[in-house]
Each structure stands twice: as C-alpha cells, then as structure tokens.
Amino acid sequence: MYTTNNSFQSFLHSLAGDVSYLPEQYLADVIQPLKKLGVEVFGTVHVEAMPDCGASEVAWVENIPSAYYVKGYVASVDLTLDNVEEELKAVIDKAPSKVRGIRWILDCVGKFDGGLSATHPATLRHDGIDYLKSPNFERGLGYLEKYNLSFDLQCAPIQLLESAAAIFAKYPNLKTCIDHLGKPRRLLGSDLLDDGSVNLNTKCDEVELDKWRRGMKAMALNPNVYVKLSMMGYAVPGWIRTPERQAFLKSLVLDTIKMFGVNRCMVAWNWHVNGALSDSGGESDVGPEPVVLLEKFMWFFEGFNKEERARLFAGTAKEFYRLEK
C-alpha cells in the first residue's frame, strides 16, 4: 500500500516503481483461471505488504468490495515497539474475526546493500538491525501468544540456524510459519549470465544448501513451526526455464516436506503483480503463471495420495490460520 506521506513507502516506490495490485486483478489472474480448471478457491489470506501502518492496511483491504475472498489477515506490527500491545489491539480492532497473525520481515545479514546479499530492504526500517537478536523482539512474541496470534517468519537461512530455532523454542504455544521455503538463495546461481544467456549450471552451492538444511531441521524440532512452499524462484532463479532446474527445485520441495511432514507444509501462491515478482522477488524476470504453478506442484506431489495433496494445497493453511470451512 503506497502513500506519499510516508518515507519508507516513498523509498519502496522509488526502488520498485508502481507495483500496485488490487483484488480485482487477483480475481482475474488467479481465481478465475483456476476456476476454469475446476479448482475452487476457498479463500485467501492477505499477508502484509510493508504498509505505513498495519491497522490502516487491514482497514483498507476490508473496505474493498472485490476483496470478499480474503478470509484472514497476517498484519504488520513492529514487535520491538514499547507500545506493541496497543499496536496489536489496533490491528485486531479493524477486523476482529479475521486477524490471524503478524509478520515483520526480518531477513538481515548486515545492512541493506541493494540486493547483493540476503538482507531485505524492509530492514531499512530499523537500519539493518537483526531483530532476531533483540530482546524487545522476543518480548513482542510473548504478546502474540497472549492474543492467540501466529507469526509469519521471513528471514535468511543463517538466521534460522543462529537465532530463530532457539528463540521460537521458547514459545511452544506460538504457531509460527516459515515463509518462502526458508529462503535459501541462488542455490544454482543466478538466472542469467553476465552476457544475458540462460545459466545452465546444475551444480548446487553446497555451503548455502547445508546452512539452509541445518536451519530448517533445527526449526522442525518445534512442532508448532510450519512452512510455506512459495517464492521458489528465490531459491532457484529461473527454475521454470529448464527441466534440470525444475527437477532440482522438486527435490528441494520434497526435502522440505520430509523435514516438516505433510501436516506442517502448505502451498502459498504469493501472487502479486506478475509471475516473475511473485516467484522470485526480483531474482528473475520469468516465473510461472498460476495454472502452470499448479501443474508444477501436482508434479512435485505426484508421490503423495489424495488426502496428503489436499492437506498441502489447503488443509494445513486452514488449520494454521484458523479459517472457517
């Protein structure tokens, strides 16, 4: 949600340009094409988009008639604030029956460097400070337990290993979902080479893979931690281009499901603007359209039975976000 009166949102606008995306576009791009295949979308969960104010974002979406399919919200609240409890109450007040959780983007391996590292531009809101090393952030997690809110955890793999696993083990009653497959980065390198040709490398960055796997295994020890299978082009940019990259990504997804189990993994479309941005967060200029993505997930899940596939596509998300049937 872009507003001209906020310095951070103004910065994002200068960085990414106009990336406005409204509910009627989501209907046309995702819900209607899937419906033509006989896939009925029960509903969606709106995950915060780095708004100026979390409560204002929830209120804004709630007031859009074409957003009728939004069944729940993962809102934005800075958990380190001194008045974090008041901020949580304000968010809940905008949609008492729908606010299910909170996200505050945490990817931080140093100050933001324009995308050279895994640090997310959202951390500019706190000058590159790693919130997973902040006592105030842990205090904020306690309030999430108090108000029965979940937490969407988006961070770098090294943060899972060095900080998150130990922190979230302290909150056994807090349901937590790791976003975007745990965000391993460029496991087969970039999508394109310097000369613009497609990168055909099939050799994995074993150091990055090992870091990710150890972090995910540590998180999986907590039975209240779940995982979203989403934004897979961040892990393997341009995976849709070649059969070899698709096969590697499939192995990564199956590895994730093996670590957490079907009952703690959920498909997430993460769709906004276009396939490339939704799939890779800027790591590639290509990405699968929703129907193609569904086909690829069906291929990934070919070894699972009907009940397990239903769990991956909808059941886990319904349980985690406490969505009505």
Side-chain angles (χ1 to χ4, degrees):
M1 184 171 63
Y2 172 61
T3 58
T4 56
N5 295 324
N6 177 270
S7 58
F8 182 68
Q9 280 290 315
S10 296
F11 162 75
L12 288 180
H13 191 259
S14 69
L15 186 71
D18 183 7
V19 290
S20 299
Y21 192 75
L22 298 173
E24 51 266 30
Q25 293 170 280
Y26 189 85
L27 280 167
D29 291 343
V30 181
I31 293 180
Q32 292 172 356
L34 292 178
K35 188 173 183 178
K36 290 179 181 179
L37 296 179
V39 178
E40 291 290 340
V41 176
F42 160 79
T44 68
V45 175
H46 175 85
V47 179
E48 62 89 19
M50 296 175 284
D52 310 338
C53 167
S56 296
E57 181 184 38
V58 171
W60 181 71
V61 178
E62 275 290 274
N63 287 322
I64 300 176
S66 56
Y68 65 88
Y69 51 79
V70 175
K71 304 294 184 181
Y73 291 97
V74 175
S76 175
V77 172
D78 182 346
L79 297 181
T80 70
L81 295 175
D82 291 338
N83 67 333
V84 62
E85 186 168 17
E86 288 72 22
E87 291 290 317
L88 291 172
K89 288 178 179 179
V91 164
I92 294 169
D93 183 62
K94 299 303 179 182
S97 64
K98 291 184 180 180
V99 174
R100 294 289 181 257
I102 298 298
R103 182 176 75 166
W104 188 266
I105 293 173
L106 301 172
D107 319 33
C108 183
V109 296
K111 290 193 174 186
F112 180 64
D113 53 11
L116 297 176
S117 72
T119 295
H120 195 284
T123 61
L124 285 168
R125 292 179 289 187
H126 34 92
D127 197 28
I129 296 171
D130 184 355
Y131 268 17
L132 285 169
K133 296 178 180 178
S134 165
N136 288 339
F137 176 78
E138 287 197 48
R139 181 179 68 90
L141 291 177
Y143 283 110
L144 297 187
E145 279 193 325
K146 178 178 178 179
Y147 289 98
N148 194 28
L149 296 171
S150 61
F151 186 72
D152 265 50
L153 172 63
Q154 180 178 318
C155 67
I158 191 63
Q159 293 173 283
L160 294 175
L161 183 62
E162 292 185 347
S163 304
I167 290 171
F168 287 92
K170 299 176 184 178
Y171 299 90
N173 297 317
L174 173 63
K175 285 192 177 297
T176 303
C177 185
I178 300 171
D179 285 352
H180 307 323
L181 212 68
K183 298 198 75 177
R185 190 167 189 256
R186 301 177 186 172
L187 291 175
L188 296 181
S190 60
D191 175 20
L192 302 177
L193 300 176
D194 292 341
D195 63 4
S197 62
V198 174
N199 184 1
L200 299 177
N201 173 57
T202 58
K203 185 177 180 181
C204 177
D205 181 340
E206 295 293 342
V207 173
E208 177 73 5
L209 180 66
D210 178 67
K211 186 171 30 180
W212 168 79
R213 186 173 283 131
R214 287 189 293 137
M216 293 290 274
K217 285 183 176 179
M219 293 295 292
L221 293 175
N222 184 336
N224 277 335
V225 174
Y226 294 61
V227 184
K228 284 182 183 175
L229 310 176
S230 59
M231 211 173 87
M232 298 176 291
Y234 187 84
V236 188
W239 65 273
I240 200 69
R241 294 189 196 271
T242 69
E244 292 80 11
R245 289 200 166 207
Q246 291 180 37
F248 177 80
L249 181 59
K250 179 180 181 180
S251 70
L252 198 69
V253 170
L254 294 179
D255 196 10
T256 302
I257 296 173
K258 182 178 180 180
M259 285 188 275
F260 286 83
V262 167
N263 289 338
R264 289 196 284 154
C265 293
M266 65 184 85
V267 167
W269 250 244
N270 193 47
W271 186 268
H272 56 289
V273 185
N274 56 50
L277 190 60
S278 305
D279 181 60
S280 71
E283 291 289 326
S284 174
D285 62 359
V286 297
E289 295 297 306
V291 170
V292 174
L293 184 57
L294 174 62
E295 293 170 351
K296 296 305 178 184
F297 272 125
M298 291 299 291
W299 173 52
F300 293 169
F301 303 154
E302 62 184 349
F304 297 102
N305 61 38
K306 182 179 179 180
E307 289 73 25
E308 290 169 328
R309 291 195 301 271
R311 181 78 190 185
L312 290 164
F313 279 116
T316 299
K318 282 184 177 181
E319 175 186 287
F320 183 86
Y321 290 115
R322 297 172 285 126
L323 304 178
E324 296 179 0
K325 295 183 179 180

PDB file of all heavy atoms in Angstrom, residues 114-140:
ATOM      1  N   GLY A 114      21.498  -3.119  -1.477  1.00  0.00           N
ATOM      2  CA  GLY A 114      20.958  -3.041  -2.823  1.00  0.00           C
ATOM      3  C   GLY A 114      20.632  -4.379  -3.447  1.00  0.00           C
ATOM      4  O   GLY A 114      20.371  -4.450  -4.644  1.00  0.00           O
ATOM      5  N   GLY A 115      20.641  -5.437  -2.638  1.00  0.00           N
ATOM      6  CA  GLY A 115      20.288  -6.748  -3.153  1.00  0.00           C
ATOM      7  C   GLY A 115      21.464  -7.677  -3.387  1.00  0.00           C
ATOM      8  O   GLY A 115      21.284  -8.808  -3.863  1.00  0.00           O
ATOM      9  N   LEU A 116      22.668  -7.246  -3.039  1.00  0.00           N
ATOM     10  CA  LEU A 116      23.838  -8.112  -3.214  1.00  0.00           C
ATOM     11  C   LEU A 116      23.845  -9.263  -2.213  1.00  0.00           C
ATOM     12  O   LEU A 116      24.381 -10.331  -2.484  1.00  0.00           O
ATOM     13  CB  LEU A 116      25.128  -7.299  -3.081  1.00  0.00           C
ATOM     14  CG  LEU A 116      25.341  -6.191  -4.127  1.00  0.00           C
ATOM     15  CD1 LEU A 116      26.610  -5.415  -3.815  1.00  0.00           C
ATOM     16  CD2 LEU A 116      25.399  -6.791  -5.534  1.00  0.00           C
ATOM     17  N   SER A 117      23.250  -9.033  -1.045  1.00  0.00           N
ATOM     18  CA  SER A 117      23.170 -10.057  -0.010  1.00  0.00           C
ATOM     19  C   SER A 117      21.717 -10.409   0.246  1.00  0.00           C
ATOM     20  O   SER A 117      20.810  -9.892  -0.400  1.00  0.00           O
ATOM     21  CB  SER A 117      23.820  -9.560   1.289  1.00  0.00           C
ATOM     22  OG  SER A 117      22.997  -8.579   1.898  1.00  0.00           O
ATOM     23  N   ALA A 118      21.487 -11.275   1.224  1.00  0.00           N
ATOM     24  CA  ALA A 118      20.131 -11.717   1.552  1.00  0.00           C
ATOM     25  C   ALA A 118      19.352 -10.699   2.373  1.00  0.00           C
ATOM     26  O   ALA A 118      18.165 -10.917   2.643  1.00  0.00           O
ATOM     27  CB  ALA A 118      20.202 -13.049   2.316  1.00  0.00           C
ATOM     28  N   THR A 119      19.960  -9.602   2.766  1.00  0.00           N
ATOM     29  CA  THR A 119      19.261  -8.592   3.557  1.00  0.00           C
ATOM     30  C   THR A 119      18.126  -7.960   2.751  1.00  0.00           C
ATOM     31  O   THR A 119      18.324  -7.532   1.613  1.00  0.00           O
ATOM     32  CB  THR A 119      20.227  -7.497   4.031  1.00  0.00           C
ATOM     33  OG1 THR A 119      21.182  -8.082   4.925  1.00  0.00           O
ATOM     34  CG2 THR A 119      19.485  -6.388   4.772  1.00  0.00           C
ATOM     35  N   HIS A 120      16.949  -7.908   3.356  1.00  0.00           N
ATOM     36  CA  HIS A 120      15.758  -7.375   2.695  1.00  0.00           C
ATOM     37  C   HIS A 120      15.671  -5.863   2.909  1.00  0.00           C
ATOM     38  O   HIS A 120      16.017  -5.370   3.983  1.00  0.00           O
ATOM     39  CB  HIS A 120      14.520  -8.055   3.283  1.00  0.00           C
ATOM     40  CG  HIS A 120      13.276  -7.886   2.481  1.00  0.00           C
ATOM     41  ND1 HIS A 120      12.553  -6.718   2.472  1.00  0.00           N
ATOM     42  CD2 HIS A 120      12.620  -8.745   1.651  1.00  0.00           C
ATOM     43  CE1 HIS A 120      11.507  -6.860   1.680  1.00  0.00           C
ATOM     44  NE2 HIS A 120      11.521  -8.074   1.166  1.00  0.00           N
ATOM     45  N   PRO A 121      15.198  -5.123   1.893  1.00  0.00           N
ATOM     46  CA  PRO A 121      15.080  -3.664   2.081  1.00  0.00           C
ATOM     47  C   PRO A 121      14.167  -3.267   3.233  1.00  0.00           C
ATOM     48  O   PRO A 121      14.290  -2.155   3.759  1.00  0.00           O
ATOM     49  CB  PRO A 121      14.519  -3.178   0.737  1.00  0.00           C
ATOM     50  CG  PRO A 121      13.993  -4.383   0.037  1.00  0.00           C
ATOM     51  CD  PRO A 121      14.826  -5.524   0.524  1.00  0.00           C
ATOM     52  N   ALA A 122      13.263  -4.167   3.647  1.00  0.00           N
ATOM     53  CA  ALA A 122      12.384  -3.838   4.777  1.00  0.00           C
ATOM     54  C   ALA A 122      13.162  -3.549   6.050  1.00  0.00           C
ATOM     55  O   ALA A 122      12.683  -2.818   6.914  1.00  0.00           O
ATOM     56  CB  ALA A 122      11.397  -4.980   5.026  1.00  0.00           C
ATOM     57  N   THR A 123      14.363  -4.118   6.173  1.00  0.00           N
ATOM     58  CA  THR A 123      15.136  -3.893   7.399  1.00  0.00           C
ATOM     59  C   THR A 123      15.706  -2.481   7.467  1.00  0.00           C
ATOM     60  O   THR A 123      16.262  -2.093   8.492  1.00  0.00           O
ATOM     61  CB  THR A 123      16.278  -4.923   7.541  1.00  0.00           C
ATOM     62  OG1 THR A 123      17.172  -4.802   6.428  1.00  0.00           O
ATOM     63  CG2 THR A 123      15.725  -6.329   7.607  1.00  0.00           C
ATOM     64  N   LEU A 124      15.561  -1.726   6.388  1.00  0.00           N
ATOM     65  CA  LEU A 124      15.933  -0.315   6.461  1.00  0.00           C
ATOM     66  C   LEU A 124      15.064   0.427   7.459  1.00  0.00           C
ATOM     67  O   LEU A 124      15.432   1.507   7.934  1.00  0.00           O
ATOM     68  CB  LEU A 124      15.802   0.332   5.074  1.00  0.00           C
ATOM     69  CG  LEU A 124      16.913  -0.017   4.072  1.00  0.00           C
ATOM     70  CD1 LEU A 124      16.516   0.440   2.676  1.00  0.00           C
ATOM     71  CD2 LEU A 124      18.223   0.624   4.491  1.00  0.00           C
ATOM     72  N   ARG A 125      13.913  -0.149   7.800  1.00  0.00           N
ATOM     73  CA  ARG A 125      13.049   0.472   8.799  1.00  0.00           C
ATOM     74  C   ARG A 125      13.716   0.489  10.164  1.00  0.00           C
ATOM     75  O   ARG A 125      13.336   1.254  11.042  1.00  0.00           O
ATOM     76  CB  ARG A 125      11.708  -0.261   8.869  1.00  0.00           C
ATOM     77  CG  ARG A 125      10.859  -0.083   7.624  1.00  0.00           C
ATOM     78  CD  ARG A 125       9.552  -0.840   7.707  1.00  0.00           C
ATOM     79  NE  ARG A 125       9.721  -2.281   7.607  1.00  0.00           N
ATOM     80  CZ  ARG A 125       8.705  -3.140   7.524  1.00  0.00           C
ATOM     81  NH1 ARG A 125       7.452  -2.709   7.557  1.00  0.00           N
ATOM     82  NH2 ARG A 125       8.932  -4.446   7.411  1.00  0.00           N
ATOM     83  N   HIS A 126      14.696  -0.384  10.350  1.00  0.00           N
ATOM     84  CA  HIS A 126      15.463  -0.361  11.602  1.00  0.00           C
ATOM     85  C   HIS A 126      16.954  -0.447  11.304  1.00  0.00           C
ATOM     86  O   HIS A 126      17.719  -1.080  12.022  1.00  0.00           O
ATOM     87  CB  HIS A 126      15.017  -1.467  12.568  1.00  0.00           C
ATOM     88  CG  HIS A 126      14.584  -2.740  11.891  1.00  0.00           C
ATOM     89  ND1 HIS A 126      15.430  -3.781  11.629  1.00  0.00           N
ATOM     90  CD2 HIS A 126      13.362  -3.117  11.443  1.00  0.00           C
ATOM     91  CE1 HIS A 126      14.765  -4.763  11.050  1.00  0.00           C
ATOM     92  NE2 HIS A 126      13.508  -4.386  10.910  1.00  0.00           N
ATOM     93  N   ASP A 127      17.331   0.180  10.174  1.00  0.00           N
ATOM     94  CA  ASP A 127      18.741   0.417   9.842  1.00  0.00           C
ATOM     95  C   ASP A 127      19.573  -0.859   9.831  1.00  0.00           C
ATOM     96  O   ASP A 127      20.723  -0.876  10.256  1.00  0.00           O
ATOM     97  CB  ASP A 127      19.352   1.435  10.815  1.00  0.00           C
ATOM     98  CG  ASP A 127      20.660   2.032  10.265  1.00  0.00           C
ATOM     99  OD1 ASP A 127      20.799   2.085   9.023  1.00  0.00           O
ATOM    100  OD2 ASP A 127      21.521   2.416  11.067  1.00  0.00           O
ATOM    101  N   GLY A 128      18.993  -1.953   9.358  1.00  0.00           N
ATOM    102  CA  GLY A 128      19.750  -3.182   9.226  1.00  0.00           C
ATOM    103  C   GLY A 128      19.991  -3.939  10.510  1.00  0.00           C
ATOM    104  O   GLY A 128      20.784  -4.890  10.538  1.00  0.00           O
ATOM    105  N   ILE A 129      19.334  -3.572  11.581  1.00  0.00           N
ATOM    106  CA  ILE A 129      19.489  -4.295  12.853  1.00  0.00           C
ATOM    107  C   ILE A 129      18.766  -5.631  12.758  1.00  0.00           C
ATOM    108  O   ILE A 129      17.635  -5.705  12.296  1.00  0.00           O
ATOM    109  CB  ILE A 129      18.923  -3.464  14.020  1.00  0.00           C
ATOM    110  CG1 ILE A 129      19.732  -2.181  14.187  1.00  0.00           C
ATOM    111  CG2 ILE A 129      18.928  -4.269  15.317  1.00  0.00           C
ATOM    112  CD1 ILE A 129      19.112  -1.203  15.165  1.00  0.00           C
ATOM    113  N   ASP A 130      19.429  -6.689  13.191  1.00  0.00           N
ATOM    114  CA  ASP A 130      18.836  -8.025  13.167  1.00  0.00           C
ATOM    115  C   ASP A 130      17.910  -8.177  14.368  1.00  0.00           C
ATOM    116  O   ASP A 130      18.348  -8.372  15.500  1.00  0.00           O
ATOM    117  CB  ASP A 130      19.939  -9.081  13.216  1.00  0.00           C
ATOM    118  CG  ASP A 130      19.402 -10.500  13.093  1.00  0.00           C
ATOM    119  OD1 ASP A 130      18.169 -10.672  13.067  1.00  0.00           O
ATOM    120  OD2 ASP A 130      20.228 -11.432  13.016  1.00  0.00           O
ATOM    121  N   TYR A 131      16.608  -8.103  14.117  1.00  0.00           N
ATOM    122  CA  TYR A 131      15.631  -8.176  15.201  1.00  0.00           C
ATOM    123  C   TYR A 131      15.659  -9.523  15.926  1.00  0.00           C
ATOM    124  O   TYR A 131      15.227  -9.611  17.082  1.00  0.00           O
ATOM    125  CB  TYR A 131      14.223  -7.926  14.653  1.00  0.00           C
ATOM    126  CG  TYR A 131      13.778  -6.482  14.690  1.00  0.00           C
ATOM    127  CD1 TYR A 131      14.695  -5.442  14.850  1.00  0.00           C
ATOM    128  CD2 TYR A 131      12.438  -6.154  14.565  1.00  0.00           C
ATOM    129  CE1 TYR A 131      14.273  -4.129  14.882  1.00  0.00           C
ATOM    130  CE2 TYR A 131      12.006  -4.830  14.600  1.00  0.00           C
ATOM    131  CZ  TYR A 131      12.931  -3.831  14.765  1.00  0.00           C
ATOM    132  OH  TYR A 131      12.513  -2.515  14.809  1.00  0.00           O
ATOM    133  N   LEU A 132      16.130 -10.559  15.260  1.00  0.00           N
ATOM    134  CA  LEU A 132      16.181 -11.863  15.921  1.00  0.00           C
ATOM    135  C   LEU A 132      17.239 -11.911  17.020  1.00  0.00           C
ATOM    136  O   LEU A 132      17.344 -12.905  17.734  1.00  0.00           O
ATOM    137  CB  LEU A 132      16.433 -12.971  14.887  1.00  0.00           C
ATOM    138  CG  LEU A 132      15.210 -13.323  14.028  1.00  0.00           C
ATOM    139  CD1 LEU A 132      15.606 -14.220  12.865  1.00  0.00           C
ATOM    140  CD2 LEU A 132      14.118 -13.990  14.869  1.00  0.00           C
ATOM    141  N   LYS A 133      17.993 -10.840  17.162  1.00  0.00           N
ATOM    142  CA  LYS A 133      18.958 -10.718  18.257  1.00  0.00           C
ATOM    143  C   LYS A 133      18.539  -9.634  19.248  1.00  0.00           C
ATOM    144  O   LYS A 133      19.333  -9.215  20.087  1.00  0.00           O
ATOM    145  CB  LYS A 133      20.352 -10.428  17.698  1.00  0.00           C
ATOM    146  CG  LYS A 133      20.895 -11.567  16.835  1.00  0.00           C
ATOM    147  CD  LYS A 133      22.258 -11.256  16.255  1.00  0.00           C
ATOM    148  CE  LYS A 133      22.761 -12.431  15.409  1.00  0.00           C
ATOM    149  NZ  LYS A 133      24.074 -12.131  14.779  1.00  0.00           N
ATOM    150  N   SER A 134      17.265  -9.227  19.164  1.00  0.00           N
ATOM    151  CA  SER A 134      16.762  -8.149  20.014  1.00  0.00           C
ATOM    152  C   SER A 134      15.874  -8.695  21.129  1.00  0.00           C
ATOM    153  O   SER A 134      14.882  -9.374  20.864  1.00  0.00           O
ATOM    154  CB  SER A 134      15.947  -7.160  19.168  1.00  0.00           C
ATOM    155  OG  SER A 134      15.178  -6.304  19.984  1.00  0.00           O
ATOM    156  N   PRO A 135      16.188  -8.394  22.387  1.00  0.00           N
ATOM    157  CA  PRO A 135      15.315  -8.801  23.499  1.00  0.00           C
ATOM    158  C   PRO A 135      13.912  -8.222  23.373  1.00  0.00           C
ATOM    159  O   PRO A 135      12.938  -8.862  23.772  1.00  0.00           O
ATOM    160  CB  PRO A 135      16.038  -8.252  24.739  1.00  0.00           C
ATOM    161  CG  PRO A 135      17.460  -8.103  24.318  1.00  0.00           C
ATOM    162  CD  PRO A 135      17.413  -7.729  22.870  1.00  0.00           C
ATOM    163  N   ASN A 136      13.800  -7.031  22.822  1.00  0.00           N
ATOM    164  CA  ASN A 136      12.479  -6.422  22.653  1.00  0.00           C
ATOM    165  C   ASN A 136      11.619  -7.207  21.676  1.00  0.00           C
ATOM    166  O   ASN A 136      10.400  -7.299  21.839  1.00  0.00           O
ATOM    167  CB  ASN A 136      12.624  -4.976  22.172  1.00  0.00           C
ATOM    168  CG  ASN A 136      13.128  -4.047  23.259  1.00  0.00           C
ATOM    169  OD1 ASN A 136      13.019  -4.348  24.444  1.00  0.00           O
ATOM    170  ND2 ASN A 136      13.690  -2.918  22.859  1.00  0.00           N
ATOM    171  N   PHE A 137      12.250  -7.776  20.653  1.00  0.00           N
ATOM    172  CA  PHE A 137      11.501  -8.597  19.706  1.00  0.00           C
ATOM    173  C   PHE A 137      10.935  -9.833  20.407  1.00  0.00           C
ATOM    174  O   PHE A 137       9.775 -10.207  20.215  1.00  0.00           O
ATOM    175  CB  PHE A 137      12.397  -9.020  18.538  1.00  0.00           C
ATOM    176  CG  PHE A 137      11.723  -9.945  17.563  1.00  0.00           C
ATOM    177  CD1 PHE A 137      10.837  -9.458  16.620  1.00  0.00           C
ATOM    178  CD2 PHE A 137      11.976 -11.309  17.596  1.00  0.00           C
ATOM    179  CE1 PHE A 137      10.210 -10.317  15.720  1.00  0.00           C
ATOM    180  CE2 PHE A 137      11.350 -12.170  16.703  1.00  0.00           C
ATOM    181  CZ  PHE A 137      10.469 -11.673  15.769  1.00  0.00           C
ATOM    182  N   GLU A 138      11.736 -10.452  21.247  1.00  0.00           N
ATOM    183  CA  GLU A 138      11.264 -11.627  21.996  1.00  0.00           C
ATOM    184  C   GLU A 138      10.098 -11.243  22.914  1.00  0.00           C
ATOM    185  O   GLU A 138       9.138 -12.003  23.062  1.00  0.00           O
ATOM    186  CB  GLU A 138      12.400 -12.237  22.806  1.00  0.00           C
ATOM    187  CG  GLU A 138      13.428 -12.978  21.969  1.00  0.00           C
ATOM    188  CD  GLU A 138      14.285 -13.894  22.814  1.00  0.00           C
ATOM    189  OE1 GLU A 138      13.731 -14.664  23.639  1.00  0.00           O
ATOM    190  OE2 GLU A 138      15.531 -13.843  22.667  1.00  0.00           O
ATOM    191  N   ARG A 139      10.191 -10.087  23.504  1.00  0.00           N
ATOM    192  CA  ARG A 139       9.088  -9.627  24.358  1.00  0.00           C
ATOM    193  C   ARG A 139       7.808  -9.508  23.542  1.00  0.00           C
ATOM    194  O   ARG A 139       6.717  -9.881  23.986  1.00  0.00           O
ATOM    195  CB  ARG A 139       9.457  -8.274  24.977  1.00  0.00           C
ATOM    196  CG  ARG A 139       8.389  -7.696  25.924  1.00  0.00           C
ATOM    197  CD  ARG A 139       8.853  -6.374  26.499  1.00  0.00           C
ATOM    198  NE  ARG A 139       8.920  -5.331  25.502  1.00  0.00           N
ATOM    199  CZ  ARG A 139       7.919  -4.509  25.186  1.00  0.00           C
ATOM    200  NH1 ARG A 139       6.750  -4.622  25.810  1.00  0.00           N
ATOM    201  NH2 ARG A 139       8.065  -3.581  24.261  1.00  0.00           N
ATOM    202  N   GLY A 140       7.931  -9.006  22.317  1.00  0.00           N
ATOM    203  CA  GLY A 140       6.777  -8.878  21.442  1.00  0.00           C
ATOM    204  C   GLY A 140       6.155 -10.215  21.085  1.00  0.00           C
ATOM    205  O   GLY A 140       4.925 -10.334  20.979  1.00  0.00           O
TER     206      GLY A 140
END
